[in-house]
Amino acid sequence: MHPMLNIAVRAARSAGEIINRSAENVGRLQINYKSKNDYATEVDRMAEQEIIRIIKAAFPEHAILAEESGEHEGNDYVWIIDPLDGTTNFLHGFPQFAVSIALKLKDRLEIGVIYDPLRDELFTAERGGGAMMNSRKIRVTAQANMTGALLGTGFPFKNLQHIDAYLGMFKALSIDTAGIRRAGAAALDLAYVAAGRLDGFWEIGLQPWDMAAGVLLIKEAGGVATDFTFGDTYLDSGNLIAGNPKMHQLIYKAIEPHVTDNLKKKTR
């Protein structure tokens, strides 16, 4: 295993242990309101601190972009961390949340790890090395049309200015598919696309830590990820379409009439 991937895996598993231990005492946790429908708990902070501790011990010169503590200056290597993607799910005992860690060198994603501590499912990818789940190679599906396709998404609940555009997209995609799932943890949704559990995914207004690791997983599993203009600015715009190559094109074609001028710009 690549040394940096090994560190990311160690950090993700260690954070997962903190999350699992805390899951039995959710009612006692201190909850902070960050913004509309956006919460953080002491578990988010403890898990993030543990991830940063492990990374900094191995690579003290690397920079960090973390959901709770923000930017930590360093060199051209940037670790992008979501210590608990799906905090609202976690607080409600809804079993869909994960740790997400990615490493970017300048503008190129190098390492991606998503860890589901409840199911002990570890998704890993390194640039040029393929994607794995618990040491088994994974690939995106071969689904070639909307009929029978299963898609993932997330509602733009933090920023309702795009709700009409989103509902237009949802309607356009729901007509022919087998179903659309909204489980509330984008990192896991993207890991599921890479593993062939979902055929495609789209969402408005994601943060870099929500999707960096998942995007690399999908690309290394043979899939495609772009923004709403078929470009690669998703980490900046927050808008993402992902899936196997054919499903990606079909999702893009279906939602394109509903992509407003504002959605072609940064939406966060």
Side-chain angles (χ1 to χ4, degrees):
M1 186 181 290
H2 190 288
M4 293 182 183
L5 179 56
N6 187 47
I7 291 298
V9 167
R10 187 190 310 170
R13 286 195 178 279
S14 188
E17 290 178 5
I18 292 172
I19 293 167
N20 277 345
R21 287 198 305 267
S22 302
E24 299 177 0
N25 299 296
V26 168
R28 302 176 185 175
L29 295 177
Q30 180 181 345
I31 302 170
N32 288 44
Y33 176 86
K34 295 196 292 186
S35 61
K36 180 181 174 69
N37 294 322
D38 193 7
Y39 305 93
T41 71
E42 56 196 288
V43 177
D44 295 72
R45 291 186 289 274
M46 288 189 298
E48 183 172 292
Q49 289 167 6
E50 177 67 0
I51 293 167
I52 292 173
R53 182 189 68 79
I54 291 172
I55 289 172
K56 282 294 190 180
F59 307 109
E61 71 282 6
H62 287 192
I64 285 172
L65 173 62
E67 179 175 14
E68 304 307 329
S69 59
E71 296 184 25
H72 304 237
E73 292 185 356
N75 60 18
D76 288 337
Y77 284 97
V78 182
W79 293 87
I80 305 173
I81 300 165
D82 192 339
L84 178 52
D85 183 48
T87 299
T88 301
N89 286 350
F90 175 77
L91 288 172
H92 285 79
F94 189 87
Q96 193 78 356
F97 45 83
V99 180
S100 180
I101 302 173
L103 175 63
K104 185 174 72 167
L105 175 57
K106 296 183 178 179
D107 293 325
R108 192 170 63 194
L109 291 167
E110 298 284 337
I111 298 294
V113 172
I114 295 172
Y115 180 53
D116 179 345
L118 285 181
R119 299 174 182 86
D120 193 27
E121 289 186 338
L122 179 71
F123 302 86
T124 60
E126 55 183 298
R127 187 178 62 84
M132 313 281 284
M133 185 191 81
N134 290 353
S135 301
R136 177 177 63 82
K137 197 167 185 69
I138 54 176
R139 296 286 295 177
V140 294
T141 69
Q143 181 74 21
N145 52 66
M146 283 293 178
T147 303
L150 184 64
L151 305 182
T153 188
F155 304 140
F157 62 94
K158 296 178 185 177
N159 190 345
L160 296 179
Q161 67 171 311
H162 302 297
I163 190 65
D164 289 336
Y166 175 81
L167 290 175
M169 297 174 188
F170 189 94
K171 181 178 180 181
L173 286 167
S174 65
I175 293 172
D176 296 321
T177 60
I180 297 176
R181 302 289 181 260
R182 196 279 182 184
L188 269 185
D189 288 339
L190 296 175
Y192 286 4
V193 173
R197 296 174 179 175
L198 292 170
D199 297 300
F201 175 89
W202 91 101
E203 188 163 347
I204 294 171
L206 291 167
Q207 295 290 344
W209 46 78
D210 296 321
M211 58 177 146
V215 163
L216 184 61
L217 276 163
I218 289 169
K219 289 183 175 181
E220 289 298 324
V224 177
T226 72
D227 57 29
F228 288 176
T229 63
F230 232 90
D232 61 359
T233 66
Y234 38 82
L235 292 181
D236 293 320
S237 72
N239 303 324
L240 182 67
I241 307 170
N244 72 51
K246 182 61 176 178
M247 287 304 301
H248 175 275
Q249 291 181 14
L250 291 173
I251 295 170
Y252 175 83
K253 183 178 179 180
I255 73 171
E256 198 277 334
H258 307 282
V259 176
T260 64
D261 288 341
N262 283 339
L263 282 174
K264 294 177 183 179
K265 305 171 185 176
K266 189 171 181 178
T267 60
R268 298 192 296 269

